[in-house]
Amino acid sequence: MLNVVIFGAPGSGKGTQSELIIKEYGLDHISTGDVLRAEIKGQTELGRIADDYISKGQLVPDELIIDMLAKVLDSKKESKGVIFDGFPRTIPQAKALKKMLNERGTDVSVMLNLEVEEEELIQRLLKRGEISGRSDDNLETIKSRLDVYHNQTAPLKDYYVTEEKHTAIKGMGTIDEIFARVCEAINAIK
Ligand code: ADP
């Protein structure tokens, strides 16, 4: 299986690049943010809890996310590979992902780290907020999400460097330019 972790700060283009990767490589997409937003819309118990964290720009607790991910993964058993978008976001999540994939006879193939300058991230997220109406795309929540990213999520870079799975991708430029870099990285491991 070709299992890609797409990684980067909020607004780094993970969702956009994931869509293009799916088309090009026929992978399944698991976006924890999308799953959580569907839970909120469906007014489930998980959705109700998650909404509290998301609207404050905080992370949903690891146990909830890991359980949720295991269920989604089991629904994709016949897959050629999966793109993990927005997961893992903490070291415990990364360790849980490795364990879950190993138990299923596979592993993370590569972690693509989309690197984008902070000022550009804020501009992109504010712009998305105007269009998407996402409750967490306002300046105050964006700032806490970026803090959370630097404190809890960015350390995953070192984890994947140690695992020898980390590839840095310059995330500035046009969508097509960035996608060309992404393809080059994926083709290098295939
Ligand atoms: P972005 O990366 O642009 O912030 P996402 O759609 O990936 O957007 O996530 C939105 C919010 O959902 C996050 O700020 C967080 O509160 C929650 N969330 C998503 N994935 C996770 C995860 N793996 N662990 C904890 N919380 C998560």
Side-chain angles (χ1 to χ4, degrees):
M1 278 172 88
L2 176 66
N3 296 311
V4 178
V5 170
I6 187 116
F7 185 84
S12 58
K14 299 186 293 283
T16 306
Q17 294 300 324
S18 293
E19 295 301 330
L20 297 171
I21 297 171
I22 292 155
K23 273 199 216 126
E24 181 75 22
Y25 298 94
L27 303 184
D28 278 308
H29 187 201
I30 301 183
S31 155
T32 42
D34 286 352
V35 178
L36 291 169
R37 280 184 288 276
E39 295 281 338
I40 294 171
K41 205 156 166 240
Q43 300 182 321
T44 64
E45 173 71 7
L46 172 60
R48 198 182 51 71
I49 301 169
D51 196 16
D52 265 359
Y53 291 95
I54 293 177
S55 58
K56 293 185 194 129
Q58 295 168 1
L59 294 185
V60 176
D62 283 338
E63 319 80 77
L64 295 179
I65 293 285
I66 291 166
D67 262 15
M68 178 181 97
L69 191 96
K71 287 188 192 121
V72 182
L73 203 54
D74 280 332
S75 70
K76 310 239 182 262
K77 278 201 178 110
E78 304 307 316
S79 172
K80 269 172 61 181
V82 175
I83 172 139
F84 295 92
D85 167 5
F87 181 95
R89 258 176 154 95
T90 62
I91 302 275
Q93 290 182 18
K95 291 186 174 160
L97 177 62
K98 186 180 167 76
K99 185 158 172 270
M100 274 186 255
L101 291 177
N102 289 351
E103 281 166 5
R104 289 163 178 79
T106 180
D107 203 350
V108 169
S109 313
V110 68
M111 185 266 226
L112 304 176
N113 184 3
L114 292 171
E115 297 181 333
V116 177
E117 287 159 21
E118 191 96 354
E119 201 37 50
E120 166 92 8
L121 293 172
I122 297 174
Q123 292 315 320
R124 287 186 191 177
L125 290 166
L126 286 173
K127 202 164 147 210
R128 185 172 78 187
E130 287 168 17
I131 305 161
S132 72
R134 259 177 62 166
S135 63
D136 55 349
D137 283 342
N138 59 76
L139 192 56
E140 195 187 337
T141 313
I142 290 169
K143 290 205 164 136
S144 15
R145 284 157 64 203
L146 289 171
D147 277 348
V148 166
Y149 171 76
H150 290 301
N151 294 328
Q152 301 184 52
T153 306
L156 279 180
K157 174 182 171 176
D158 289 342
Y159 173 84
Y160 282 106
V161 168
T162 309
E163 294 271 308
E164 298 181 355
K165 309 277 186 195
H166 176 268
T167 304
I169 306 278
K170 186 171 158 239
M172 309 277 289
T174 67
I175 291 173
D176 288 346
E177 282 163 357
I178 301 163
F179 185 56
R181 295 175 199 134
V182 164
C183 290
E184 207 182 309
I186 295 179
N187 293 337
I189 54 133
K190 273 181 78 182

